[in-house]
Each structure stands twice: as structure tokens, then as C-alpha cells.
């Protein structure tokens, strides 16, 4: 099964005040972790985005992948068409609650050098993405 779920984005994000839910992006496409790297790159290209929220078969957020990461895997000499997103997800623990103070989330993301993290509800479902501006 391959799931792709599209969501819209708000116009801007300001991490200086409010909570994460006030400043998060809707997240763009959400895909299932059984999707191949090549198909995920095609979804990114079609959606004109540089990242995807990855969910497991139960709809739980498994992580976030970027175009740079997927391109590196695809271009690797060890890559095959059988490599699935679940095989390459590195950091399953990086996510943020929608009720976290935006400034606190920004501080943590900068310390951990994360450009974006999934925003996850109490049931582990992805609500969107919190991204730092460059």
C-alpha cells in the first residue's frame, strides 16, 4: 500500500511567539513508509517540495525525509529499487507537540541542527511540519 496525502500550507511562520500549532506548516504530502525511494522522489517533484512526512501503515508518524537524503540514497552504489523509506529513516525520535512553545521548539531544533521536524499529536499522527527559516 502506498499512501500519499496532500495538505495546504499557511502563508508564513513566525517562531517568536505562540505555540507550534500557531506557526507550523500543514506539511505537504504525507507518504507511507513502504514507498520506494524512487517513487518518493517523484512525489516530491510533483508536489514541488523538498521534504516528505513519512507515516507507518497505522498512520503513525515515522519521521521526515528530505530530497537531499533521498537523492543520496538513490545515487548510492548499494541502492536498489527495493529500498523503502522505512529502510532509510534515521531519526524516529525528532518530532514536536503542537502545544510546545514555538520559541522553545526553535531553540531545540537549532541545538540539534534540524531544519524541520514533524508536528505530532498525542496519538502519534502527523499534523504538519515545523520548519526553521534560513
Amino acid at each position: 500500500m502506498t499512501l500519499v496525502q496532500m495538505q495546504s500550507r499557511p502563508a508564513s511562520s513566525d517562531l517568536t511567539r505562540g505555540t507550534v500549532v500557531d506557526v507550523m506548516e500543514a506539511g505537504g504530502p504525507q507518504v507511507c513508509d513502504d514507498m520506494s525511494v524512487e517513487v518518493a522522489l517523484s512525489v516530491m517533484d510533483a508536489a514541488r517540495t523538498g521534504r516528505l512526512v513519512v507515516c507507518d501503515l497505522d498512520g503513525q508518524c515515522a519521521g521526515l525525509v528530505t530530497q537531499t537524503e533521498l537523492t543520496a540514497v538513490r545515487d548510492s552504489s548499494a541502492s536498489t529499487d527495493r529500498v523503502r523509506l522505512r529502510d532509510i529513516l534515521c531519526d524516529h525520535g525528532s518530532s514536536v507537540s503542537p502545544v510546545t512553545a514555538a520559541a522553545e521548539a526553535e531553540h531545540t531544533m537549532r541545538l540539534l541542527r534540524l531544519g524541520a521536524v514533524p508536528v505530532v499529536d498525542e496519538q502519534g499522527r502527523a499534523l504538519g511540519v515545523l520548519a526553521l527559516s534560513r
Side-chain angles (χ1 to χ4, degrees):
M1 175 182 152
T2 299
L3 169 72
V4 177
Q5 187 176 34
M6 300 294 291
Q7 298 177 342
S8 62
R9 295 179 167 187
S12 67
S13 5
D14 178 8
L15 296 179
T16 60
R17 55 191 126 117
T19 61
V20 168
V21 76
D22 299 323
V23 295
M24 73 180 193
E25 298 174 7
Q30 291 184 13
V31 297
C32 192
D33 65 356
D34 70 344
M35 181 178 282
S36 73
V37 168
E38 197 63 44
V39 172
L41 282 165
S42 295
V43 170
M44 279 185 181
D45 188 43
R48 292 189 170 106
T49 186
R51 63 179 169 258
L52 297 172
V53 173
V54 181
C55 299
D56 65 18
L57 293 173
D58 296 323
Q60 303 294 301
C61 181
L64 191 80
V65 292
T66 66
Q67 187 172 24
T68 302
E69 293 167 333
L70 295 181
T71 301
V73 169
R74 182 197 61 201
D75 295 346
S76 160
S77 61
S79 181
T80 70
D81 61 349
R82 294 182 184 196
V83 176
R84 303 289 176 225
L85 296 179
R86 72 170 64 97
D87 300 329
I88 64 163
L89 283 174
C90 298
D91 192 359
H92 296 275
S94 295
S95 64
V96 65
S97 165
V99 297
T100 302
E104 177 185 341
E106 176 185 20
H107 177 72
T108 301
M109 290 171 65
R110 290 193 190 283
L111 282 175
L112 298 174
R113 297 181 182 196
L114 300 172
V117 293
V119 179
V120 179
D121 69 13
E122 293 171 354
Q123 289 77 38
R125 301 199 185 278
L127 302 174
V129 172
L130 181 65
L132 296 176
S133 58
R134 297 185 187 244

